Amino acid sequence: MRRKLVAGNWKMNGLTASLAEVEALIAAHPAPGCEVLLCPPATLISAMAARAAGRIAVGGQDCHMAAAGAHTGDISAAMLRDAGASHVILGHSERRADHAETNAMVRAKAEAALSEGLVALICVGETEAERDAGETLAVIGRQLAESTPDAATGANTVIAYEPVWAIGTGRTPTLEQIAEVHDFLRAELAARFGAEGAAFRLLYGGSVKPGNAKEIFATSNVDGALVGGASLKAADFGAIIAALAG
Ligand code: PEP
């Protein structure tokens, strides 16, 4: 059985005062029937991990592929771990677009994360133009194959399907479109990793809200969600968790 997972991505949002949301979230959902992960900006990882005290997991939003060195402004996997992170989001479409991250770079970062004992949450997803051109599965298949390390297992790697056009737009694919991609991801993982392919959690991400979470979670091969905007407010994120745990 794959343990359900709801992950929140705060992106470049949040100051120390925002940590009150974490307290509210934990107070509202002391023992959810699923795993909960919050990925704040790097500046808040340490303080959030201290407050969470293991009740929810805390993760980074990126790491460098090198262990250390002359990379001004970057953060290594070991630094994330040292700050209290247990997970790291890699290959988010905003980083692929803003920082020209390639699949090969995402894979190298994932290898660095796994070697530090972090769980890598690898994002894949098509643009609207790619979907319109009928290239969705080809694009996602390539991203998955090239971004996922050979050492990936269901325990150390999570795959998030995030259609670029659904992120922060309020638009979501149909449930049939989500199922098509998630079933495809499952088949690709099984083809590459054999029986272990069934152990990877597959998250859907892109405009998940309290109002649509339940039907998305009931969709084939959806094991949880990666949530952006709605993870910033404990009430909304808590409602999404409740929809999965409930
Ligand atoms: C995201 O950026 O990972 C995301 C899913 O954002 P949102 O939920 O705001 O669409």
Side-chain angles (χ1 to χ4, degrees):
M1 265 306 273
R2 295 183 294 270
R3 186 143 192 250
K4 305 285 186 190
L5 169 65
V6 179
N9 173 13
W10 279 15
K11 311 191 185 194
M12 198 172 74
N13 297 292
L15 299 171
T16 306
S18 319
L19 295 172
E21 290 296 312
V22 181
E23 291 298 344
L25 177 69
I26 293 170
H29 298 279
C34 66
E35 203 176 324
V36 177
L37 165 69
L38 270 181
C39 300
T43 48
L44 291 181
I45 288 174
S46 182
M48 186 182 282
R51 283 195 185 218
R55 294 172 294 171
I56 61 168
V58 177
Q61 299 176 9
D62 176 52
C63 71
H64 198 277
M65 66 267 289
H71 303 289
T72 303
D74 279 314
I75 294 177
S76 72
M79 290 169 182
L80 291 179
R81 182 145 203 89
D82 187 52
S86 52
H87 295 62
V88 59
I89 298 170
L90 295 170
H92 190 283
S93 60
E94 287 156 13
R95 289 207 60 88
R96 289 179 186 264
D98 296 353
H99 299 269
E101 289 192 3
T102 63
N103 291 334
M105 290 164 70
V106 175
R107 182 186 186 128
K109 288 170 179 234
E111 285 166 351
L114 299 194
S115 71
E116 278 302 324
L118 296 175
V119 175
L121 210 159
I122 298 173
C123 303
V124 298
E126 82 286 2
T127 63
E128 187 156 33
E130 288 164 343
R131 177 164 281 279
D132 290 346
E135 294 168 356
T136 298
L137 297 186
V139 167
I140 289 168
R142 199 159 51 240
Q143 288 176 333
L144 180 73
E146 296 178 4
S147 306
T148 309
D150 288 336
T153 66
N156 67 23
T157 303
V158 176
I159 306 296
Y161 167 51
E162 297 209 309
V164 177
W165 51 273
I167 293 177
T169 61
R171 299 167 59 204
T172 53
T174 65
L175 299 178
E176 291 71 25
Q177 288 171 327
I178 295 174
E180 180 189 31
V181 172
H182 280 238
D183 289 351
F184 171 75
L185 287 169
R186 180 70 64 213
E188 292 290 294
L189 289 167
R192 178 168 169 192
F193 295 102
E196 184 65 17
F200 287 76
R201 267 97 53 93
L202 304 181
L203 308 186
Y204 167 76
S207 297
V208 176
K209 307 271 185 262
N212 63 16
K214 210 162 189 74
E215 59 181 16
I216 290 173
F217 291 147
T219 301
S220 177
N221 273 309
V222 173
D223 302 308
L226 178 53
V227 183
S231 71
L232 291 167
K233 290 277 166 252
D236 286 347
F237 197 51
I240 291 169
I241 294 166
L244 187 60

